[in-house]
Amino acid sequence: MQTQEQEDLEVTTASPTPQRSGGASRRILWLLVTLGIIGALVFVKMKYFPSQNAEAKGGGKGGAGGGKGAPSGAGGKGGGQKLPVQVYVVKATSLADEVAATGSILAEESVVLKSEISGKITSLNIREGQPVRKGQLLLTINADEIQAQLRKQEFNIKLFRDQEKRQRTLLDKEYISAQEYEQANNQLLTAQADLQALRASLTKAYIRAPFDGVLGLSTITVGTYVSPGAEITTLSRVKPVKISFTVPSRFSNLVRTGDPITVTDEASNKKYEAKVYALDPQIDPVSRTQTVRARYANTNNELRPGAFVKVNLQLGQTSEALQVPTEAVIPEAAGYNVYTVQQGKMVPKKVKIGVRSTRLIQITEGVAVGDSIIRTGILQVKPGDAVRVTK
């Protein structure tokens, strides 16, 4: 019995040895797998992401020494990067004060000839597009009825005049009262007034040119029946002609009668010289402009009424004008701005403008001689940004 128990005890004590050996093997296996995975990750990182290692090293050096690595970490404008811009240095220049506008050509005189009475046209002397003289007979409207009434009224006046003469004789002899004489005299005066009205109506049957000019086109012929208000033709005086245009209200105090203007015909691109002869005393409350009119002799019929023209109004010349490029002026709701460079930074300034052309704009207030005005990179800079001036 003792021998059997001892054998059993020996077997039980020896059995854990193989189990401990298997667990150690598994731990070693897991350790090897883990090291393999880590090695693979390190290989992938070194092969495919080398920049991160360089940044880590650079960052470490920068963080430790505070030297070369610091600016790259700062980045942007705050780190000292300056936006390159081009500037225009303001200087006094010679400038001819001119106002550019658009205008229209108007006839010196123009009228639409219309009939004032009804009737058929019995004679016609209208030559379309031809000049006529003042008072020249253009057409006649049938007025036989008016002429008959006129002769009848002349006979009545003769009768009333004889009656008035007899009544005056009787009144002098006190055979009739003053009232009876006044009635006879009133008949005479009324008949004379009616005769005058008939003569006025008769003159309406003869349409004449009210001034020297050129006739327009017409569609009527002899025999055409016209009624009051019917248009016959037009008559225009085109030597000289008027040029009508508008200027902004801010120039209204500078425009004077006699100022010269240059007129450019849009059709022929030819230039003509004219002079201002009248100004509208009122400013248009809607457009805030003032209407100006000039006159041109138009001796050779160069300009025709209704044509569109460009006008340059000359207001004088100055040698101390301050001008900047057109692209340097920024329009805003409250006015205009320019961006200046002061001590290496952008500083905006409010300005007032004057005469402008396609390339330059006059600045009347807000800048001085020597100011550096930014003309490029305007959309990228903000107030206070550091800028670098380039040529």
Side-chain angles (χ1 to χ4, degrees), residues 319-349:
S319 59
E320 299 296 328
L322 304 181
Q323 300 182 87
V324 300
T326 304
E327 66 271 15
V329 179
I330 300 95
E332 296 182 349
Y336 297 89
N337 274 359
V338 296
Y339 294 163
T340 63
V341 176
Q342 297 181 12
Q343 298 179 353
K345 295 183 178 181
M346 190 279 272
V347 178
K349 279 190 176 182

mmCIF file of all heavy atoms in Angstrom, residues 319-349:
data_model
loop_
_atom_site.group_PDB
_atom_site.id
_atom_site.type_symbol
_atom_site.label_atom_id
_atom_site.label_comp_id
_atom_site.label_asym_id
_atom_site.label_seq_id
_atom_site.Cartn_x
_atom_site.Cartn_y
_atom_site.Cartn_z
ATOM 1 N N SER A 319 -1.968 122.891 -63.127
ATOM 2 C CA SER A 319 -0.662 122.222 -63.137
ATOM 3 C C SER A 319 -0.369 121.529 -61.820
ATOM 4 O O SER A 319 0.713 120.976 -61.640
ATOM 5 C CB SER A 319 0.440 123.245 -63.429
ATOM 6 O OG SER A 319 0.438 124.275 -62.444
ATOM 7 N N GLU A 320 -1.289 121.554 -60.877
ATOM 8 C CA GLU A 320 -1.082 120.960 -59.555
ATOM 9 C C GLU A 320 -2.081 119.846 -59.273
ATOM 10 O O GLU A 320 -2.456 119.624 -58.125
ATOM 11 C CB GLU A 320 -1.185 122.044 -58.477
ATOM 12 C CG GLU A 320 -0.165 123.154 -58.602
ATOM 13 C CD GLU A 320 1.265 122.656 -58.418
ATOM 14 O OE1 GLU A 320 1.447 121.690 -57.641
ATOM 15 O OE2 GLU A 320 2.188 123.210 -59.034
ATOM 16 N N ALA A 321 -2.511 119.172 -60.299
ATOM 17 C CA ALA A 321 -3.508 118.120 -60.102
ATOM 18 C C ALA A 321 -2.846 116.847 -59.570
ATOM 19 O O ALA A 321 -1.725 116.506 -59.950
ATOM 20 C CB ALA A 321 -4.219 117.826 -61.419
ATOM 21 N N LEU A 322 -3.533 116.166 -58.669
ATOM 22 C CA LEU A 322 -3.080 114.891 -58.132
ATOM 23 C C LEU A 322 -3.922 113.793 -58.758
ATOM 24 O O LEU A 322 -5.146 113.777 -58.600
ATOM 25 C CB LEU A 322 -3.209 114.868 -56.604
ATOM 26 C CG LEU A 322 -2.489 115.983 -55.841
ATOM 27 C CD1 LEU A 322 -2.683 115.802 -54.348
ATOM 28 C CD2 LEU A 322 -1.007 116.010 -56.187
ATOM 29 N N GLN A 323 -3.266 112.876 -59.470
ATOM 30 C CA GLN A 323 -3.971 111.810 -60.158
ATOM 31 C C GLN A 323 -3.400 110.455 -59.759
ATOM 32 O O GLN A 323 -2.208 110.343 -59.461
ATOM 33 C CB GLN A 323 -3.860 111.975 -61.675
ATOM 34 C CG GLN A 323 -4.433 113.282 -62.206
ATOM 35 C CD GLN A 323 -4.348 113.357 -63.706
ATOM 36 O OE1 GLN A 323 -5.228 112.902 -64.432
ATOM 37 N NE2 GLN A 323 -3.273 113.944 -64.207
ATOM 38 N N VAL A 324 -4.254 109.456 -59.746
ATOM 39 C CA VAL A 324 -3.850 108.084 -59.453
ATOM 40 C C VAL A 324 -4.457 107.175 -60.512
ATOM 41 O O VAL A 324 -5.441 107.539 -61.169
ATOM 42 C CB VAL A 324 -4.315 107.639 -58.043
ATOM 43 C CG1 VAL A 324 -3.720 108.536 -56.971
ATOM 44 C CG2 VAL A 324 -5.835 107.632 -57.954
ATOM 45 N N PRO A 325 -3.886 105.983 -60.703
ATOM 46 C CA PRO A 325 -4.463 105.053 -61.684
ATOM 47 C C PRO A 325 -5.904 104.688 -61.348
ATOM 48 O O PRO A 325 -6.292 104.614 -60.175
ATOM 49 C CB PRO A 325 -3.542 103.830 -61.596
ATOM 50 C CG PRO A 325 -2.258 104.365 -61.053
ATOM 51 C CD PRO A 325 -2.629 105.473 -60.124
ATOM 52 N N THR A 326 -6.676 104.460 -62.371
ATOM 53 C CA THR A 326 -8.095 104.145 -62.183
ATOM 54 C C THR A 326 -8.285 102.902 -61.330
ATOM 55 O O THR A 326 -9.186 102.856 -60.479
ATOM 56 C CB THR A 326 -8.762 103.942 -63.553
ATOM 57 O OG1 THR A 326 -8.561 105.100 -64.353
ATOM 58 C CG2 THR A 326 -10.250 103.683 -63.397
ATOM 59 N N GLU A 327 -7.433 101.874 -61.512
ATOM 60 C CA GLU A 327 -7.616 100.633 -60.774
ATOM 61 C C GLU A 327 -7.294 100.770 -59.292
ATOM 62 O O GLU A 327 -7.626 99.891 -58.496
ATOM 63 C CB GLU A 327 -6.743 99.526 -61.381
ATOM 64 C CG GLU A 327 -5.241 99.751 -61.240
ATOM 65 C CD GLU A 327 -4.660 100.530 -62.399
ATOM 66 O OE1 GLU A 327 -5.444 101.130 -63.164
ATOM 67 O OE2 GLU A 327 -3.426 100.548 -62.531
ATOM 68 N N ALA A 328 -6.650 101.879 -58.889
ATOM 69 C CA ALA A 328 -6.283 102.063 -57.482
ATOM 70 C C ALA A 328 -7.414 102.662 -56.649
ATOM 71 O O ALA A 328 -7.330 102.692 -55.420
ATOM 72 C CB ALA A 328 -5.048 102.949 -57.364
ATOM 73 N N VAL A 329 -8.470 103.134 -57.298
ATOM 74 C CA VAL A 329 -9.583 103.763 -56.588
ATOM 75 C C VAL A 329 -10.691 102.737 -56.402
ATOM 76 O O VAL A 329 -11.166 102.143 -57.368
ATOM 77 C CB VAL A 329 -10.104 104.996 -57.354
ATOM 78 C CG1 VAL A 329 -11.271 105.629 -56.604
ATOM 79 C CG2 VAL A 329 -8.984 106.005 -57.539
ATOM 80 N N ILE A 330 -11.098 102.539 -55.145
ATOM 81 C CA ILE A 330 -12.113 101.536 -54.822
ATOM 82 C C ILE A 330 -13.424 102.246 -54.476
ATOM 83 O O ILE A 330 -13.494 102.971 -53.486
ATOM 84 C CB ILE A 330 -11.675 100.643 -53.646
ATOM 85 C CG1 ILE A 330 -10.370 99.907 -53.977
ATOM 86 C CG2 ILE A 330 -12.752 99.648 -53.287
ATOM 87 C CD1 ILE A 330 -9.145 100.585 -53.481
ATOM 88 N N PRO A 331 -14.464 102.080 -55.306
ATOM 89 C CA PRO A 331 -15.755 102.707 -54.978
ATOM 90 C C PRO A 331 -16.454 101.950 -53.856
ATOM 91 O O PRO A 331 -16.437 100.719 -53.807
ATOM 92 C CB PRO A 331 -16.535 102.604 -56.295
ATOM 93 C CG PRO A 331 -15.925 101.444 -57.001
ATOM 94 C CD PRO A 331 -14.479 101.389 -56.596
ATOM 95 N N GLU A 332 -17.060 102.681 -52.948
ATOM 96 C CA GLU A 332 -17.834 102.109 -51.857
ATOM 97 C C GLU A 332 -19.137 102.870 -51.719
ATOM 98 O O GLU A 332 -19.347 103.904 -52.354
ATOM 99 C CB GLU A 332 -17.033 102.154 -50.554
ATOM 100 C CG GLU A 332 -15.768 101.301 -50.576
ATOM 101 C CD GLU A 332 -15.028 101.342 -49.250
ATOM 102 O OE1 GLU A 332 -15.381 102.191 -48.409
ATOM 103 O OE2 GLU A 332 -14.097 100.529 -49.062
ATOM 104 N N ALA A 333 -20.004 102.356 -50.853
ATOM 105 C CA ALA A 333 -21.317 102.986 -50.671
ATOM 106 C C ALA A 333 -21.173 104.413 -50.145
ATOM 107 O O ALA A 333 -21.952 105.299 -50.496
ATOM 108 C CB ALA A 333 -22.170 102.152 -49.720
ATOM 109 N N ALA A 334 -20.170 104.642 -49.292
ATOM 110 C CA ALA A 334 -20.007 105.962 -48.673
ATOM 111 C C ALA A 334 -19.078 106.870 -49.461
ATOM 112 O O ALA A 334 -18.816 107.993 -49.031
ATOM 113 C CB ALA A 334 -19.475 105.800 -47.242
ATOM 114 N N GLY A 335 -18.527 106.421 -50.584
ATOM 115 C CA GLY A 335 -17.624 107.250 -51.362
ATOM 116 C C GLY A 335 -16.553 106.418 -52.034
ATOM 117 O O GLY A 335 -16.833 105.358 -52.603
ATOM 118 N N TYR A 336 -15.306 106.891 -51.948
ATOM 119 C CA TYR A 336 -14.194 106.218 -52.606
ATOM 120 C C TYR A 336 -13.030 106.061 -51.630
ATOM 121 O O TYR A 336 -12.823 106.903 -50.755
ATOM 122 C CB TYR A 336 -13.723 107.007 -53.828
ATOM 123 C CG TYR A 336 -14.766 107.125 -54.911
ATOM 124 C CD1 TYR A 336 -15.687 108.177 -54.914
ATOM 125 C CD2 TYR A 336 -14.856 106.193 -55.938
ATOM 126 C CE1 TYR A 336 -16.655 108.290 -55.906
ATOM 127 C CE2 TYR A 336 -15.809 106.295 -56.938
ATOM 128 C CZ TYR A 336 -16.701 107.335 -56.914
ATOM 129 O OH TYR A 336 -17.647 107.442 -57.883
ATOM 130 N N ASN A 337 -12.254 104.978 -51.799
ATOM 131 C CA ASN A 337 -11.089 104.687 -50.975
ATOM 132 C C ASN A 337 -9.885 104.407 -51.852
ATOM 133 O O ASN A 337 -10.016 103.950 -52.997
ATOM 134 C CB ASN A 337 -11.333 103.464 -50.076
ATOM 135 C CG ASN A 337 -12.011 103.856 -48.769
ATOM 136 O OD1 ASN A 337 -12.286 105.025 -48.519
ATOM 137 N ND2 ASN A 337 -12.296 102.878 -47.942
ATOM 138 N N VAL A 338 -8.689 104.674 -51.290
ATOM 139 C CA VAL A 338 -7.440 104.189 -51.871
ATOM 140 C C VAL A 338 -6.654 103.531 -50.749
ATOM 141 O O VAL A 338 -6.841 103.840 -49.570
ATOM 142 C CB VAL A 338 -6.617 105.329 -52.508
ATOM 143 C CG1 VAL A 338 -7.341 105.943 -53.680
ATOM 144 C CG2 VAL A 338 -6.253 106.389 -51.482
ATOM 145 N N TYR A 339 -5.770 102.582 -51.126
ATOM 146 C CA TYR A 339 -4.934 101.891 -50.147
ATOM 147 C C TYR A 339 -3.511 102.441 -50.258
ATOM 148 O O TYR A 339 -2.902 102.384 -51.328
ATOM 149 C CB TYR A 339 -4.926 100.386 -50.393
ATOM 150 C CG TYR A 339 -6.274 99.721 -50.175
ATOM 151 C CD1 TYR A 339 -6.531 98.448 -50.678
ATOM 152 C CD2 TYR A 339 -7.278 100.368 -49.473
ATOM 153 C CE1 TYR A 339 -7.760 97.833 -50.473
ATOM 154 C CE2 TYR A 339 -8.508 99.762 -49.263
ATOM 155 C CZ TYR A 339 -8.745 98.504 -49.773
ATOM 156 O OH TYR A 339 -9.965 97.906 -49.565
ATOM 157 N N THR A 340 -2.992 102.952 -49.147
ATOM 158 C CA THR A 340 -1.649 103.506 -49.124
ATOM 159 C C THR A 340 -0.715 102.586 -48.350
ATOM 160 O O THR A 340 -1.149 101.750 -47.554
ATOM 161 C CB THR A 340 -1.647 104.903 -48.483
ATOM 162 O OG1 THR A 340 -2.064 104.787 -47.105
ATOM 163 C CG2 THR A 340 -2.598 105.837 -49.223
ATOM 164 N N VAL A 341 0.587 102.768 -48.577
ATOM 165 C CA VAL A 341 1.610 102.027 -47.849
ATOM 166 C C VAL A 341 2.297 102.990 -46.889
ATOM 167 O O VAL A 341 2.893 103.991 -47.319
ATOM 168 C CB VAL A 341 2.640 101.395 -48.808
ATOM 169 C CG1 VAL A 341 3.741 100.706 -48.007
ATOM 170 C CG2 VAL A 341 1.968 100.413 -49.737
ATOM 171 N N GLN A 342 2.200 102.693 -45.599
ATOM 172 C CA GLN A 342 2.831 103.510 -44.571
ATOM 173 C C GLN A 342 3.567 102.598 -43.605
ATOM 174 O O GLN A 342 2.961 101.719 -42.982
ATOM 175 C CB GLN A 342 1.785 104.343 -43.823
ATOM 176 C CG GLN A 342 1.056 105.356 -44.694
ATOM 177 C CD GLN A 342 0.049 106.188 -43.925
ATOM 178 O OE1 GLN A 342 0.032 106.171 -42.685
ATOM 179 N NE2 GLN A 342 -0.792 106.915 -44.638
ATOM 180 N N GLN A 343 4.900 102.787 -43.508
ATOM 181 C CA GLN A 343 5.757 101.985 -42.634
ATOM 182 C C GLN A 343 5.576 100.487 -42.909
ATOM 183 O O GLN A 343 5.515 99.668 -42.007
ATOM 184 C CB GLN A 343 5.461 102.292 -41.161
ATOM 185 C CG GLN A 343 5.738 103.738 -40.787
ATOM 186 C CD GLN A 343 5.424 104.034 -39.337
ATOM 187 O OE1 GLN A 343 4.879 103.192 -38.634
ATOM 188 N NE2 GLN A 343 5.789 105.224 -38.892
ATOM 189 N N GLY A 344 5.481 100.147 -44.190
ATOM 190 C CA GLY A 344 5.410 98.752 -44.588
ATOM 191 C C GLY A 344 4.071 98.095 -44.387
ATOM 192 O O GLY A 344 3.961 96.881 -44.553
ATOM 193 N N LYS A 345 3.029 98.867 -44.069
ATOM 194 C CA LYS A 345 1.704 98.294 -43.857
ATOM 195 C C LYS A 345 0.663 99.031 -44.695
ATOM 196 O O LYS A 345 0.834 100.194 -45.059
ATOM 197 C CB LYS A 345 1.309 98.360 -42.376
ATOM 198 C CG LYS A 345 2.186 97.499 -41.473
ATOM 199 C CD LYS A 345 1.691 97.542 -40.042
ATOM 200 C CE LYS A 345 2.537 96.648 -39.143
ATOM 201 N NZ LYS A 345 2.054 96.659 -37.745
ATOM 202 N N MET A 346 -0.415 98.303 -44.980
ATOM 203 C CA MET A 346 -1.493 98.894 -45.758
ATOM 204 C C MET A 346 -2.395 99.735 -44.865
ATOM 205 O O MET A 346 -2.871 99.276 -43.830
ATOM 206 C CB MET A 346 -2.317 97.807 -46.452
ATOM 207 C CG MET A 346 -3.322 98.357 -47.472
ATOM 208 S SD MET A 346 -4.854 98.965 -46.759
ATOM 209 C CE MET A 346 -5.809 97.461 -46.740
ATOM 210 N N VAL A 347 -2.641 100.991 -45.303
ATOM 211 C CA VAL A 347 -3.514 101.901 -44.563
ATOM 212 C C VAL A 347 -4.525 102.471 -45.552
ATOM 213 O O VAL A 347 -4.147 103.140 -46.512
ATOM 214 C CB VAL A 347 -2.717 103.033 -43.904
ATOM 215 C CG1 VAL A 347 -3.674 103.991 -43.186
ATOM 216 C CG2 VAL A 347 -1.695 102.476 -42.931
ATOM 217 N N PRO A 348 -5.844 102.219 -45.374
ATOM 218 C CA PRO A 348 -6.844 102.778 -46.295
ATOM 219 C C PRO A 348 -7.089 104.261 -46.025
ATOM 220 O O PRO A 348 -6.954 104.730 -44.892
ATOM 221 C CB PRO A 348 -8.096 101.945 -45.995
ATOM 222 C CG PRO A 348 -7.930 101.528 -44.573
ATOM 223 C CD PRO A 348 -6.456 101.360 -44.342
ATOM 224 N N LYS A 349 -7.452 104.986 -47.081
ATOM 225 C CA LYS A 349 -7.764 106.412 -46.956
ATOM 226 C C LYS A 349 -8.999 106.730 -47.780
ATOM 227 O O LYS A 349 -9.135 106.275 -48.918
ATOM 228 C CB LYS A 349 -6.587 107.269 -47.451
ATOM 229 C CG LYS A 349 -5.469 107.439 -46.441
ATOM 230 C CD LYS A 349 -4.489 108.497 -46.938
ATOM 231 C CE LYS A 349 -3.408 108.773 -45.903
ATOM 232 N NZ LYS A 349 -2.484 109.835 -46.371
#
